[in-house]
Amino acid sequence: MKKYFAKGKTVAATAMAALLVSTTAFAAEKPQESIPATEILTIEEAQALEAQKEKELTFEEAVELATKNSSDLRSVAETADYLQDLKEDIWDITGSFSVPTVSYQQWVDDDIYAIYSSIQNISSSMTKNRYSEELTKISLEATVKNYYTSIFSDQSSLELAKKDMEVKKTLWEQGQRKNQLGLLSDYDLNTLRSDYEQAQYNVTKLEMALEQEYLSFYNFIGEDREKDYTLVYDVEYAPYELPQPMTQYINNKMNTDYTIKLQEQAVEDAEFNKNYMSMSSTNATSANNKHSYEEAKRSLKTAKDSKELAIQNAYNSILSLESQYDSAVTTLEQAEAAQRAAEVNYKAGNTTAITLDQAALAVEQAQNAVTQLEYAHDMQIYQFENTELLSSGTTGKTSA
């Protein structure tokens, strides 16, 4: 007698077996209360299901693996420790770790300048290293997200390509029979064969590209390909709503974007060099430092202007994708209506099976277009909300 357990339960095998024996005995007394067949699995099926769940890898889990595997983050951590040691050395010598803030140029003793300069350099390096850590984390998460969206997107395209190949194969096989009967020219038959071969090539190409993506992904998270994880990633499409007016959104991002913060730190460093001069410095050095300070301020303004443009472009890309999505959904609805009409005509004997297959393929093509736009929309929103990923030329993926 087979043993069963309720689908979705996660109990130990021995305890589960004992429970199922008692459940079976109880069911014998009250057969009307037996578990519906649609809600039970065999022990073997349940174990397979649990094994599958254990191999599932969510986006968040993949980010954790990538973080642990990142040599860049390890390097940042080592740099942080090194800078902390330097800071403590300065503290032991001076009893403090700060430079008096001044808004004008002053010439100081060489020894004082050496101390102030060391403090400024170490403090600046610590700040930039901290920003670098945050940028690295954002980059890691973005890379994992890109792998997920790309893999799922390509899987959707692969399934479509396989169905297209089957239809092309059927058309070619039918063409061979028609050609034998003199109902199709050799030229048209060759065209059908070429279409089928191209469809086969498309499937092979996508399979190879997808496997390469998987290999690259596994290497990025530091896992063996043999793990053969089942990637879990849910994308729920919804039109994007700005959390606040665009001007306010941009201003807030300017205060939190780490690429801008790095530019601001460069201005602070240049200002220190402008305001603090050692007694042994020359007037030429002073003039050069003043010029560097003005250059740093201009670079900061350019960076902010570019970032503002990039944010606006990214938002426009979101709106463009949403317009394309609405159009794609309409196309899908039309394809589904055409498929229903084809089914009616097929049942009535007014059309052939291949026509029905082609109508179904058109639905798959339309659905794939919708799916591609969902992933593109999801990724574009992510970039829009993590403005460190944007540059002045960023417009986002606006087509599937």
Side-chain angles (χ1 to χ4, degrees), residues 83-114:
L83 292 171
Q84 182 62 33
D85 290 340
L86 293 181
K87 178 181 178 179
E88 292 174 1
D89 290 341
I90 293 292
W91 187 277
D92 291 339
I93 296 173
T94 65
S96 66
F97 192 78
S98 63
V99 177
T101 302
V102 295
S103 57
Y104 56 91
Q105 188 179 74
Q106 59 178 268
W107 299 69
V108 297
D109 180 81
D110 285 5
D111 291 338
I112 297 296
Y113 177 79

Short mmCIF file of all heavy atoms in Angstrom, two decimals, residues 83-114:
data_model
loop_
_atom_site.label_atom_id
_atom_site.label_comp_id
_atom_site.label_asym_id
_atom_site.label_seq_id
_atom_site.Cartn_x
_atom_site.Cartn_y
_atom_site.Cartn_z
N LEU A 83 43.62 51.83 6.71
CA LEU A 83 43.42 53.26 6.99
C LEU A 83 43.14 53.50 8.48
O LEU A 83 43.55 54.52 9.04
CB LEU A 83 42.27 53.80 6.13
CG LEU A 83 42.55 53.87 4.63
CD1 LEU A 83 41.27 54.22 3.86
CD2 LEU A 83 43.65 54.89 4.32
N GLN A 84 42.42 52.57 9.09
CA GLN A 84 42.15 52.71 10.52
C GLN A 84 43.45 52.66 11.33
O GLN A 84 43.63 53.41 12.30
CB GLN A 84 41.21 51.59 10.98
CG GLN A 84 40.82 51.65 12.45
CD GLN A 84 40.07 52.91 12.82
OE1 GLN A 84 39.32 53.46 12.01
NE2 GLN A 84 40.28 53.37 14.04
N ASP A 85 44.38 51.80 10.92
CA ASP A 85 45.68 51.72 11.58
C ASP A 85 46.44 53.05 11.43
O ASP A 85 47.06 53.53 12.40
CB ASP A 85 46.52 50.59 10.99
CG ASP A 85 45.99 49.22 11.37
OD1 ASP A 85 45.23 49.13 12.36
OD2 ASP A 85 46.32 48.24 10.67
N LEU A 86 46.38 53.64 10.25
CA LEU A 86 47.04 54.93 10.03
C LEU A 86 46.42 56.02 10.89
O LEU A 86 47.14 56.87 11.45
CB LEU A 86 46.95 55.32 8.55
CG LEU A 86 47.72 54.44 7.55
CD1 LEU A 86 47.53 54.98 6.14
CD2 LEU A 86 49.20 54.39 7.90
N LYS A 87 45.09 55.98 10.98
CA LYS A 87 44.40 56.97 11.82
C LYS A 87 44.84 56.85 13.27
O LYS A 87 45.08 57.87 13.95
CB LYS A 87 42.89 56.77 11.69
CG LYS A 87 42.09 57.72 12.56
CD LYS A 87 40.59 57.47 12.42
CE LYS A 87 39.81 58.40 13.34
NZ LYS A 87 38.34 58.20 13.20
N GLU A 88 44.94 55.63 13.76
CA GLU A 88 45.34 55.41 15.14
C GLU A 88 46.79 55.87 15.38
O GLU A 88 47.12 56.39 16.47
CB GLU A 88 45.17 53.94 15.51
CG GLU A 88 43.70 53.51 15.57
CD GLU A 88 43.54 52.02 15.79
OE1 GLU A 88 44.57 51.33 15.92
OE2 GLU A 88 42.38 51.55 15.83
N ASP A 89 47.63 55.69 14.38
CA ASP A 89 49.02 56.16 14.50
C ASP A 89 49.06 57.68 14.65
O ASP A 89 49.81 58.23 15.48
CB ASP A 89 49.85 55.74 13.29
CG ASP A 89 50.10 54.24 13.25
OD1 ASP A 89 49.96 53.58 14.30
OD2 ASP A 89 50.43 53.72 12.15
N ILE A 90 48.26 58.36 13.83
CA ILE A 90 48.20 59.82 13.92
C ILE A 90 47.66 60.25 15.27
O ILE A 90 48.16 61.19 15.91
CB ILE A 90 47.33 60.40 12.79
CG1 ILE A 90 47.98 60.18 11.43
CG2 ILE A 90 47.05 61.89 13.01
CD1 ILE A 90 49.24 60.97 11.20
N TRP A 91 46.65 59.56 15.74
CA TRP A 91 46.04 59.88 17.03
C TRP A 91 47.06 59.72 18.17
O TRP A 91 47.12 60.55 19.08
CB TRP A 91 44.83 58.98 17.26
CG TRP A 91 44.04 59.37 18.49
CD1 TRP A 91 44.29 59.02 19.79
CD2 TRP A 91 42.89 60.22 18.52
NE1 TRP A 91 43.37 59.58 20.63
CE2 TRP A 91 42.49 60.32 19.88
CE3 TRP A 91 42.16 60.88 17.55
CZ2 TRP A 91 41.40 61.07 20.28
CZ3 TRP A 91 41.06 61.63 17.95
CH2 TRP A 91 40.69 61.72 19.29
N ASP A 92 47.84 58.66 18.08
CA ASP A 92 48.85 58.43 19.11
C ASP A 92 49.89 59.56 19.14
O ASP A 92 50.42 59.92 20.20
CB ASP A 92 49.57 57.10 18.87
CG ASP A 92 48.66 55.91 19.12
OD1 ASP A 92 47.65 56.08 19.83
OD2 ASP A 92 48.96 54.82 18.60
N ILE A 93 50.16 60.13 17.98
CA ILE A 93 51.17 61.19 17.88
C ILE A 93 50.62 62.54 18.31
O ILE A 93 51.27 63.29 19.06
CB ILE A 93 51.72 61.29 16.45
CG1 ILE A 93 52.46 59.99 16.07
CG2 ILE A 93 52.63 62.49 16.28
CD1 ILE A 93 52.87 59.93 14.62
N THR A 94 49.41 62.88 17.86
CA THR A 94 48.87 64.22 18.06
C THR A 94 47.79 64.29 19.13
O THR A 94 47.49 65.38 19.63
CB THR A 94 48.27 64.75 16.74
OG1 THR A 94 47.14 63.94 16.37
CG2 THR A 94 49.30 64.71 15.62
N GLY A 95 47.17 63.16 19.44
CA GLY A 95 46.07 63.18 20.41
C GLY A 95 44.76 63.65 19.82
O GLY A 95 43.77 63.85 20.54
N SER A 96 44.74 63.86 18.51
CA SER A 96 43.49 64.27 17.84
C SER A 96 43.56 63.81 16.39
O SER A 96 44.61 63.37 15.90
CB SER A 96 43.30 65.78 17.91
OG SER A 96 44.31 66.44 17.16
N PHE A 97 42.43 63.96 15.72
CA PHE A 97 42.40 63.59 14.29
C PHE A 97 41.45 64.55 13.57
O PHE A 97 40.40 64.18 13.07
CB PHE A 97 41.93 62.14 14.13
CG PHE A 97 42.13 61.59 12.74
CD1 PHE A 97 43.39 61.17 12.33
CD2 PHE A 97 41.08 61.51 11.85
CE1 PHE A 97 43.58 60.66 11.05
CE2 PHE A 97 41.26 61.00 10.57
CZ PHE A 97 42.52 60.58 10.17
N SER A 98 41.83 65.80 13.55
CA SER A 98 41.00 66.81 12.88
C SER A 98 41.87 67.95 12.38
O SER A 98 42.96 68.20 12.93
CB SER A 98 39.93 67.34 13.82
OG SER A 98 40.54 68.01 14.93
N VAL A 99 41.38 68.60 11.34
CA VAL A 99 42.07 69.75 10.77
C VAL A 99 41.17 70.97 10.94
O VAL A 99 40.00 70.92 10.58
CB VAL A 99 42.36 69.54 9.27
CG1 VAL A 99 43.01 70.78 8.67
CG2 VAL A 99 43.24 68.32 9.07
N PRO A 100 41.70 72.06 11.52
CA PRO A 100 40.88 73.27 11.68
C PRO A 100 40.33 73.73 10.33
O PRO A 100 41.05 73.79 9.33
CB PRO A 100 41.86 74.30 12.26
CG PRO A 100 42.91 73.47 12.92
CD PRO A 100 43.05 72.24 12.07
N THR A 101 39.03 74.01 10.29
CA THR A 101 38.40 74.46 9.05
C THR A 101 38.66 75.93 8.85
O THR A 101 38.43 76.75 9.75
CB THR A 101 36.88 74.21 9.10
OG1 THR A 101 36.65 72.82 9.31
CG2 THR A 101 36.23 74.65 7.81
N VAL A 102 39.16 76.28 7.67
CA VAL A 102 39.40 77.69 7.33
C VAL A 102 38.81 77.97 5.95
O VAL A 102 38.71 77.07 5.12
CB VAL A 102 40.90 78.02 7.33
CG1 VAL A 102 41.48 77.89 8.73
CG2 VAL A 102 41.66 77.12 6.36
N SER A 103 38.43 79.19 5.73
CA SER A 103 37.83 79.57 4.45
C SER A 103 38.76 80.49 3.66
O SER A 103 38.34 81.14 2.71
CB SER A 103 36.49 80.28 4.69
OG SER A 103 36.68 81.41 5.53
N TYR A 104 40.02 80.55 4.07
CA TYR A 104 40.98 81.41 3.40
C TYR A 104 42.33 80.70 3.37
O TYR A 104 42.56 79.74 4.11
CB TYR A 104 41.11 82.75 4.15
CG TYR A 104 41.49 82.58 5.60
CD1 TYR A 104 42.82 82.57 6.01
CD2 TYR A 104 40.50 82.41 6.57
CE1 TYR A 104 43.18 82.38 7.33
CE2 TYR A 104 40.84 82.22 7.90
CZ TYR A 104 42.18 82.21 8.27
OH TYR A 104 42.52 82.02 9.59
N GLN A 105 43.20 81.18 2.55
CA GLN A 105 44.51 80.54 2.42
C GLN A 105 45.43 80.98 3.55
O GLN A 105 45.48 82.15 3.91
CB GLN A 105 45.15 80.90 1.08
CG GLN A 105 46.43 80.13 0.79
CD GLN A 105 47.02 80.48 -0.55
OE1 GLN A 105 47.60 81.56 -0.71
NE2 GLN A 105 46.90 79.57 -1.52
N GLN A 106 46.15 80.01 4.11
CA GLN A 106 47.13 80.31 5.14
C GLN A 106 48.36 79.43 4.96
O GLN A 106 48.26 78.29 4.50
CB GLN A 106 46.54 80.13 6.54
CG GLN A 106 46.03 78.73 6.83
CD GLN A 106 45.51 78.61 8.26
OE1 GLN A 106 46.27 78.25 9.16
NE2 GLN A 106 44.23 78.94 8.46
N TRP A 107 49.51 80.01 5.33
CA TRP A 107 50.77 79.29 5.22
C TRP A 107 51.18 78.83 6.60
O TRP A 107 51.23 79.62 7.54
CB TRP A 107 51.84 80.20 4.62
CG TRP A 107 51.47 80.69 3.24
CD1 TRP A 107 50.49 81.55 2.91
CD2 TRP A 107 52.09 80.31 2.02
NE1 TRP A 107 50.42 81.75 1.55
CE2 TRP A 107 51.42 81.00 0.97
CE3 TRP A 107 53.15 79.45 1.69
CZ2 TRP A 107 51.77 80.86 -0.37
CZ3 TRP A 107 53.50 79.34 0.35
CH2 TRP A 107 52.82 80.02 -0.66
N VAL A 108 51.46 77.53 6.73
CA VAL A 108 51.77 76.98 8.04
C VAL A 108 53.14 76.32 8.03
O VAL A 108 53.70 76.02 6.96
CB VAL A 108 50.70 75.95 8.48
CG1 VAL A 108 49.34 76.61 8.63
CG2 VAL A 108 50.65 74.78 7.51
N ASP A 109 53.66 76.11 9.23
CA ASP A 109 54.96 75.45 9.38
C ASP A 109 54.95 74.08 8.68
O ASP A 109 53.93 73.39 8.66
CB ASP A 109 55.26 75.28 10.87
CG ASP A 109 56.59 74.61 11.11
OD1 ASP A 109 57.62 75.30 11.05
OD2 ASP A 109 56.57 73.37 11.35
N ASP A 110 56.07 73.70 8.13
CA ASP A 110 56.15 72.45 7.36
C ASP A 110 55.74 71.25 8.20
O ASP A 110 55.05 70.34 7.71
CB ASP A 110 57.57 72.25 6.84
CG ASP A 110 57.88 73.16 5.66
OD1 ASP A 110 57.02 74.00 5.31
OD2 ASP A 110 58.98 73.03 5.09
N ASP A 111 56.13 71.20 9.45
CA ASP A 111 55.78 70.05 10.29
C ASP A 111 54.27 70.03 10.56
O ASP A 111 53.66 68.95 10.53
CB ASP A 111 56.54 70.13 11.62
CG ASP A 111 58.03 69.88 11.43
OD1 ASP A 111 58.40 69.26 10.41
OD2 ASP A 111 58.82 70.29 12.30
N ILE A 112 53.71 71.22 10.82
CA ILE A 112 52.26 71.29 11.03
C ILE A 112 51.53 70.89 9.75
O ILE A 112 50.54 70.13 9.78
CB ILE A 112 51.83 72.71 11.45
CG1 ILE A 112 52.47 73.08 12.79
CG2 ILE A 112 50.31 72.82 11.52
CD1 ILE A 112 52.01 72.21 13.93
N TYR A 113 52.05 71.38 8.63
CA TYR A 113 51.42 71.04 7.35
C TYR A 113 51.47 69.54 7.11
O TYR A 113 50.50 68.94 6.61
CB TYR A 113 52.11 71.76 6.20
CG TYR A 113 51.54 71.38 4.85
CD1 TYR A 113 50.35 71.92 4.39
CD2 TYR A 113 52.20 70.43 4.05
CE1 TYR A 113 49.82 71.55 3.17
CE2 TYR A 113 51.67 70.05 2.83
CZ TYR A 113 50.47 70.61 2.38
OH TYR A 113 49.94 70.24 1.19
N ALA A 114 52.56 68.90 7.45
CA ALA A 114 52.70 67.46 7.23
C ALA A 114 51.65 66.69 8.03
O ALA A 114 51.05 65.72 7.53
CB ALA A 114 54.10 67.01 7.62
#
